[in-house]
Amino acid sequence: MGRSIPDGFVLGAATSAFQIEGAADRRGETIWDRFIRVRGLPDTGLVACDHVDRLDEDLDLMAELGLQAYRFSVAWARVLPEGHGRPDAAGLGFYDRLVDGLLERGIVPWLTLYHWDLPQALDDVGGWRVRDTVGRFTDYAALMVGRLGDRVPNWITHNEPWVASMLGHRDGVFAPGGTDMGEALTVAHHLLVSHGTAAQAIRAAAPAARVAAAIDCRPAVPATDREEDVVATRHFDGFRNRWFLDPLFGHGYPDDMVDAYRTAGRFDARPGGDGPVRDGDLDLIAQPLDVLGLNYYTGIRISAGREEDETPDVAPGPNPPEGHTEMGWPVQPDVLHGFLLRLQRDYAPASIMITENGASFSDGPDAEGRVHDVRRTAYLHDHLAAAIDAREAGVPVEGHLTWSLLDNLEWTQGFAQRFGVIHVDHTTQRRTVKDSGWWLRDAIASRTLPDVPGPSAGA
Ligand code: FCB
């Protein structure tokens, strides 16, 4: 017998629009369509998992697994092809059908408004680099809550603002491909302010709705106990985690990072200073947060010289070394446990939902059509156990959403990474529930974490 799952702890799965929907010809262009084309990356976004045209099949699969909750994102450019103006009736209709289909099957919707797919038309006039986009996003949030606020109880404004700002505007490796730290910090600020203004719009239209943000955290430990590694780790934590968590919880931008960025001439975070931060912005960002969404995959060891660098030590690819996933990320459930305790200590959130957690392994169907993805099952088992331990230690963890429901389009890596508990054959679009999916079903049905045969992913 595995350990029991506490009453009220919710299990489900997560996806995002660009990564699964397809039907790109029935929505406006996004910055990801453009980026993939311009960079000559694998052009898989047009069809992705063909989810728009396979909605009923995918909803039935969710019901077959017994999912209690499902997190999806709305493609802004499907409901507003230019990012503003007249809504597209068919686009809105798709999300109506998705939400109604979930509710009919007893699955609680968690809607993300922004999972990185900015309408290209808005980027053409400055994107997140300009303040106007905050207003556009707020209007889009109001449109969606007006349409779905009667049926969707959980509203996630943004997904991973660190990735959207830093990988998209500092490192140039994600859309729209900018390479300037000052610009990236401006983008991060506009994302945070728009979280606050959208939260207000959501509450105005649907007072009972719960507002969340999904923050990707990368817990860091010093590589050695040498002073310079400890200092570098503190900086990394400020750059990666505190820059977003502190203002969301009303602490303002962290002083040490404000000073570091200003001294280096990269960003002025003082309200009314030389940067984009206006008086009142920090109050806007600090709207009451009903749920902190935590996206957690792995931690990192930091040494001096790597205080703003999270390149994994292991390159992504098949056959990763023991204890790593195919993203090259170390498997560290204990780090999740420790980080949940820290969130509680530093921020005391009203509630935490693990809005993403999962593992990339490319196991495919065997001759009998079964997918024996034991490493993913072990990963899920060990991270769920860590989350439940934290809950039992007093952290208000309300549940866990596995990334991901389906093998999908992993951004710049195309279909090379497989995170799904359901295998997708990207030629035929055939879906096959993996062993990890059946394990999740058994966990939900039995309210226990069944023991996992064989090696642990974290061994
Ligand atoms: C997260 C993203 C998600 C997916 C996973 C693997 O950073 O939110 O879309 O790509 O990583």
Side-chain angles (χ1 to χ4, degrees):
M1 267 308 276
R3 71 172 294 174
S4 62
I5 298 173
D7 287 346
F9 190 89
V10 171
L11 291 182
T15 61
S16 90
F18 187 76
Q19 295 177 274
I20 65 166
E21 282 185 354
D25 52 346
R26 280 169 266 158
R27 59 159 169 74
E29 189 188 14
T30 72
I31 55 174
W32 270 94
D33 302 296
R34 180 71 64 90
F35 186 73
I36 283 173
R37 186 158 52 75
V38 170
R39 297 282 170 107
L41 293 164
D43 187 7
T44 44
L46 205 59
V47 179
C49 297
D50 199 26
H51 172 68
V52 166
D53 291 330
R54 287 167 199 264
L55 178 62
D56 291 334
E57 179 187 354
D58 289 343
L59 286 165
D60 287 344
L61 282 165
M62 293 179 217
E64 200 173 341
L65 298 187
L67 297 190
Q68 297 175 282
Y70 174 61
R71 174 181 175 222
F72 62 95
S73 78
V74 173
W76 187 344
R78 189 174 298 289
V79 296
L80 292 164
E82 302 286 309
H84 62 103
R86 254 214 13 232
D88 184 277
L92 281 172
F94 169 70
Y95 297 106
D96 271 331
R97 286 195 292 121
L98 168 54
V99 168
D100 290 343
L102 291 170
L103 296 176
E104 278 159 22
R105 290 165 179 82
I107 303 169
V108 176
W110 286 72
L111 183 154
T112 307
L113 285 167
Y114 188 71
H115 201 120
W116 311 343
D117 47 354
L118 186 71
Q120 180 63 43
L122 290 184
D123 198 67
D124 291 342
V125 292
W128 289 110
R129 303 175 292 287
V130 300
R131 183 86 180 200
D132 277 355
T133 302
V134 173
R136 297 294 190 203
F137 181 70
T138 314
D139 293 345
Y140 154 61
L143 169 72
M144 293 315 300
V145 75
R147 182 76 173 218
L148 299 174
D150 57 338
R151 284 161 287 160
V152 173
N154 304 297
W155 291 75
I156 298 169
T157 53
H158 282 286
N159 180 68
E160 303 195 347
W162 180 87
V163 170
S165 54
M166 294 299 150
L167 300 190
H169 294 267
R170 181 192 75 144
D171 299 338
V173 297
F174 270 20
T179 52
D180 182 89
M181 179 59 162
E183 180 180 298
L185 287 164
T186 298
V187 165
H189 183 68
H190 290 151
L191 292 171
L192 285 166
V193 173
S194 75
H195 156 78
T197 53
Q200 291 177 328
I202 293 164
R203 291 209 168 97
R210 298 199 307 162
V211 174
I215 306 300
D216 50 316
C217 292
R218 185 60 66 97
V221 292
T224 72
D225 54 15
R226 287 198 333 235
E227 178 64 14
E228 57 264 44
D229 292 343
V230 173
V231 170
T233 304
R234 171 98 186 133
H235 186 100
F236 179 88
D237 184 59
F239 159 70
R240 189 68 172 77
N241 304 318
R242 289 181 288 122
W243 191 259
F244 297 90
L245 292 169
D246 279 15
L248 283 171
F249 284 96
H251 305 182
Y253 286 120
D255 289 338
D256 57 330
M257 300 308 296
V258 171
D259 289 348
Y261 291 148
R262 213 168 121 234
T263 314
R266 299 157 108 187
F267 191 70
D268 184 353
R270 294 169 309 165
D274 290 339
V277 184
R278 299 184 184 171
D279 290 327
D281 278 1
L282 288 159
D283 291 337
L284 277 176
I285 298 170
Q287 296 303 301
L289 199 60
D290 297 304
V291 186
L292 171 64
L294 173 65
N295 291 3
Y296 170 80
Y297 290 90
T298 189
I300 190 166
R301 288 156 63 84
I302 292 293
S303 45
R306 288 194 55 182
E307 42 278 274
E308 292 187 11
D309 170 14
E310 63 155 43
T311 323
D313 295 330
V314 169
N319 309 314
E322 180 96 35
H324 292 73
T325 71
E326 292 185 21
M327 292 294 276
W329 295 339
V331 177
Q332 299 178 319
D334 50 321
V335 172
L336 170 63
H337 179 256
F339 196 74
L340 286 166
L341 298 181
R342 170 186 161 189
L343 286 174
Q344 171 72 356
R345 191 189 62 227
D346 290 354
Y347 303 105
S351 181
I352 299 175
M353 177 57 118
I354 299 176
T355 35
E356 284 184 31
N357 173 244
S360 171
F361 291 111
S362 53
D363 311 276
D366 65 11
E368 279 84 51
R370 301 275 313 220
V371 183
H372 298 302
D373 57 337
V374 65
R375 292 171 297 178
R376 177 176 296 98
T377 309
Y379 181 102
L380 293 176
H381 174 281
D382 294 353
H383 285 78
L384 274 160
I388 291 169
D389 282 346
R391 176 173 161 125
E392 284 169 356
V395 186
V397 188
E398 70 175 79
H400 176 282
L401 305 177
T402 296
W403 185 272
S404 184
L405 180 72
L406 303 169
D407 286 342
N408 59 46
L409 192 175
E410 179 53 30
W411 307 108
T412 52
Q413 300 193 53
F415 292 136
Q417 299 285 350
R418 292 182 177 271
F419 277 90
V421 293
I422 298 176
H423 182 272
V424 178
D425 178 322
H426 294 299
T427 310
T428 62
Q429 294 293 347
R430 186 189 155 89
R431 276 87 161 126
T432 306
V433 178
K434 303 181 189 180
D435 285 358
S436 59
W438 298 127
W439 180 88
L440 197 57
R441 175 199 60 180
D442 292 346
I444 295 166
S446 66
R447 300 300 299 171
T448 62
L449 300 180
D451 292 332
V452 181
S456 154

